[in-house]
Amino acid sequence: MANEDQTGNFTAELVGGAWRMHFGVLSDYAVRLLERGYICVPLRAGGKHLDLAAMEYEPLHLRTLRKDLKELAFASITFQLAQKPPGGADIARWFRGFTGNVGIVGGFSNLMILDFDDDAGYRAWLAGHKAIANATPTAKTPSGFHVYLRTREPMVSSSLHFGLRRVGHVKALGGYVVGSPSSLSDGSSYSWVESQSPFDVEPQLVDSLGSLSLRPVSMLKQHYDRLLKRGFFERQ
C-alpha cells in the first residue's frame, strides 16, 4: 500500500511503513511532524546519539569522552525542548542538508513513547491491548516496537515492566527515541507500521502506565520495598 501526500514543495510516499523522501527534504518531513505535535532532533549518522553540533550545541562529551556529560546533555536538552519547543525555522535549520538519523523527543505535549526492546515483549502486551495499540502511531524498530501515546499528566522517562518482566523503556520527559526514517550502521532500520504513522492517526490519550497494565518498576521490587517499609524509585 502506498499513500502519497503533497504540501507545497514537500512530497513523500508511505511505502511499507517507511516514508520515501523526494527532493531530499528531511527538513520538510521534520517540520511537518512538528505541525502534528512531534519534535524531531538530528541524530548522528548510523547511530542513536544526538548530533549536538547540528543543533548548534558544543558536543563536550565528544571532546572529553565522558559518558556522564553525554547523559547530562541528552537528558537536559530533550527536557528543555519539551518545555520550550523549537519553531519550524529552528527545525528546518537543524535538518537543512542533514544526512543523519532522526530522533523524536518525548514529553512534548505529554507525548509518551513505549519503547519495547523486542517483539516478544510487545506481542505479550499487545494481546490484551489491541484496541489502543492498533489505533495509535506505531513504529517497527530493528528489534522491537515504539508505541506513541499521550498522557493526561506529564511523565518522566523510566524503565518499562510488563508482569514480572522488564520489556523496555518509557521515553517521556528527558528522553527521545530513534524515529523513521533512520537506519543504523549495521543496516537495520526504523519504519512506521502501515496506516499507523503520525500522518495517519493521532496518539491515543491514556491515564497512566497502570491503565496499560505496565509499570516503571518491577512488581516484585515494588512489593519488596513496601514490605520493608522503604520508598522506591520509579526511574531505574
Side-chain angles (χ1 to χ4, degrees):
M1 175 180 177
N3 295 327
E4 187 169 334
D5 179 86
Q6 186 166 338
T7 305
N9 64 349
F10 168 54
T11 308
E13 285 183 286
L14 182 60
V15 181
W19 282 91
R20 180 176 296 166
M21 304 298 161
H22 300 288
F23 313 137
V25 286
L26 190 57
S27 60
D28 296 296
Y29 172 77
V31 169
R32 190 158 180 256
L33 275 176
L34 180 64
E35 295 169 352
R36 303 288 294 180
Y38 300 81
I39 296 175
C40 290
V41 287
L43 306 183
R44 299 185 71 189
K48 302 179 180 181
H49 289 182
L50 292 177
D51 192 328
L52 297 186
M55 299 171 68
E56 300 161 357
Y57 289 94
E58 182 180 356
L60 293 176
H61 67 288
L62 294 180
R63 179 162 56 82
T64 61
L65 300 180
R66 287 176 53 184
K67 184 178 179 180
D68 59 342
L69 280 179
K70 180 201 74 175
E71 293 175 347
L72 175 63
F74 289 8
S76 59
I77 288 172
T78 52
F79 179 85
Q80 174 70 6
L81 290 175
Q83 299 300 296
K84 189 176 181 181
D90 299 309
I91 297 291
R93 187 173 65 255
W94 294 348
F95 284 97
R96 187 172 296 119
F98 186 70
T99 58
N101 283 339
V102 179
I104 297 180
V105 173
F108 175 52
S109 295
N110 289 348
L111 181 66
M112 177 178 72
I113 308 159
L114 306 180
D115 180 1
F116 288 93
D117 287 341
D118 55 42
D119 286 1
Y122 171 73
R123 301 294 179 191
W125 172 79
L126 176 66
H129 300 85
K130 289 183 179 179
I132 193 167
N134 292 334
T136 203
T138 302
K140 182 70 181 75
T141 73
S143 60
F145 286 85
H146 289 160
V147 179
Y148 292 74
L149 303 159
R150 294 202 191 274
T151 56
R152 298 186 187 278
E153 299 293 333
M155 295 281 293
V156 177
S157 295
S158 70
S159 293
L160 183 65
H161 290 79
F162 179 62
L164 300 179
R165 181 186 171 197
R166 177 170 171 166
V167 293
H169 295 84
V170 175
K171 298 299 184 179
L173 287 171
Y176 69 94
V177 296
V178 182
S180 173
S182 295
S183 58
L184 302 181
S185 56
D186 63 5
S188 58
S189 62
Y190 296 73
S191 60
W192 297 112
V193 171
E194 187 172 344
S195 300
Q196 285 186 251
S197 81
F199 305 106
D200 298 311
V201 291
E202 292 288 339
Q204 294 294 294
L205 182 65
V206 298
D207 290 324
S208 64
L209 280 179
S211 67
L212 300 170
S213 307
L214 297 167
R215 294 170 176 267
V217 296
S218 72
M219 188 183 305
L220 288 178
K221 176 170 173 43
Q222 190 168 354
H223 287 323
Y224 183 68
D225 287 341
R226 285 176 176 170
L227 182 65
L228 296 182
K229 297 182 179 180
R230 67 185 186 188
F232 64 92
F233 293 99
E234 288 196 345
R235 183 173 182 178
Q236 292 190 341

